[in-house]
Amino acid sequence: MPSLEYFACLLKYGEVEIEAHEYFVKQTYRNRCHILTANGLDTLVIPVLHSGGKMPIREVKIDYSQSWVKRHWGAIVAAYGKAPYFEYFGSDFERIFQRKTTFLFDLNWELLTICLKLLRLNPTIRLSNVYNNEVENGHIDALSQIHPKKSHRHNNFYQSVVYQQNFGSEFVPNLSVIDLLMCQGAEATPILKRSLNVN
């Protein structure tokens, strides 16, 4: 469930190639997202079966020996169960979580697809055919810029637009898009469009 920064990048460029042949990198958005709960920021991390060394992203399996599905879905319900649009969108996400997809890449693709559908966005997205760590002229390498350890303020994709969140008196920017969807519904896309950094 990508960050708002990720969706702002999709909107800004309209045509994106997702790296489908890279090696898995730990502690990135590839297997985590941030939501806002009554207790503050919560990071949902999907455990993976990783033997160490370089592992192609398409081969990374999700570890279901840990009860992360129950924990994640419980956190989402606690955070958004009383949000204005949970009754409209919650079941879409629950179905994906309960399906127990084998590979991390496939789960991410399913979640990205449902988020785009709910936002009514249709950017051109291609999957790379081979891994290429060289960025072609005229292209932007967002892969290295959108990272949980880097502030969204250091790139030129996203500037936060304040909206009513479910908890807290202080706005928390750049959460997972699920926060915006559950709290704002049909207004999510206009808010996202206003958050584009046009520089």
Side-chain angles (χ1 to χ4, degrees):
M1 297 178 292
S3 65
L4 296 180
E5 179 182 21
Y6 185 98
F7 280 94
C9 182
L10 287 180
L11 276 173
K12 183 170 185 170
Y13 295 103
E15 187 172 334
V16 178
E17 182 176 82
I18 292 179
E19 179 51 69
H21 294 278
E22 64 168 339
Y23 294 112
F24 175 71
V25 180
K26 295 179 181 179
Q27 298 185 8
T28 64
Y29 282 128
R30 290 160 183 84
N31 67 327
R32 71 193 59 224
C33 72
H34 302 297
I35 63 171
L36 186 61
T37 72
N39 296 319
L41 197 65
D42 190 3
T43 302
L44 305 182
V45 180
I46 297 173
V48 296
L49 298 168
H50 189 268
S51 57
K54 293 182 176 181
M55 179 175 278
I57 190 72
R58 299 292 286 267
E59 296 176 16
V60 176
K61 291 184 177 180
I62 298 170
D63 184 359
Y64 287 100
S65 70
Q66 301 181 45
S67 60
W68 71 269
V69 173
K70 182 178 179 182
R71 148 74 175 123
H72 285 204
W73 187 246
I76 289 167
V77 171
Y80 304 112
K82 293 183 180 177
Y85 296 92
F86 182 84
E87 65 178 296
Y88 301 105
F89 303 145
S91 60
D92 291 314
F93 290 97
E94 185 178 21
R95 272 193 298 275
I96 293 172
F97 275 92
Q98 297 303 328
R99 197 175 295 143
K100 293 193 173 181
T101 304
T102 302
F103 294 98
L104 177 66
F105 189 91
D106 296 336
L107 175 61
N108 284 340
W109 184 257
E110 289 179 53
L111 289 168
L112 175 60
T113 301
I114 193 62
C115 290
L116 288 169
K117 179 183 174 187
L118 296 175
L119 290 165
R120 294 185 173 93
L121 297 176
N122 193 24
T124 300
I125 298 178
R126 294 185 311 274
L127 299 180
S128 65
N129 293 320
V130 295
Y131 178 63
N132 183 1
N133 61 359
E134 297 290 325
V135 179
E136 296 179 32
N137 284 340
H139 291 90
I140 304 294
D141 177 16
L143 184 64
S144 65
Q145 294 182 48
I146 299 175
H147 193 284
K149 293 184 178 180
K150 293 182 180 180
S151 170
H152 67 274
R153 293 179 186 92
H154 293 350
N155 65 44
N156 62 347
F157 308 131
Y158 166 80
Q159 54 191 8
S160 60
V161 170
V162 176
Y163 60 88
Q164 183 63 49
Q165 294 176 319
N166 230 21
F167 297 105
S169 56
E170 191 171 315
F171 179 74
V172 180
N174 202 31
L175 296 172
S176 164
V177 71
I178 197 172
D179 186 83
L180 180 61
L181 281 166
M182 296 302 182
C183 294
Q184 297 298 315
E187 286 302 305
T189 302
I191 290 169
L192 196 54
K193 287 179 177 177
R194 289 199 309 273
S195 76
L196 291 183
N197 189 336
V198 294
N199 295 331

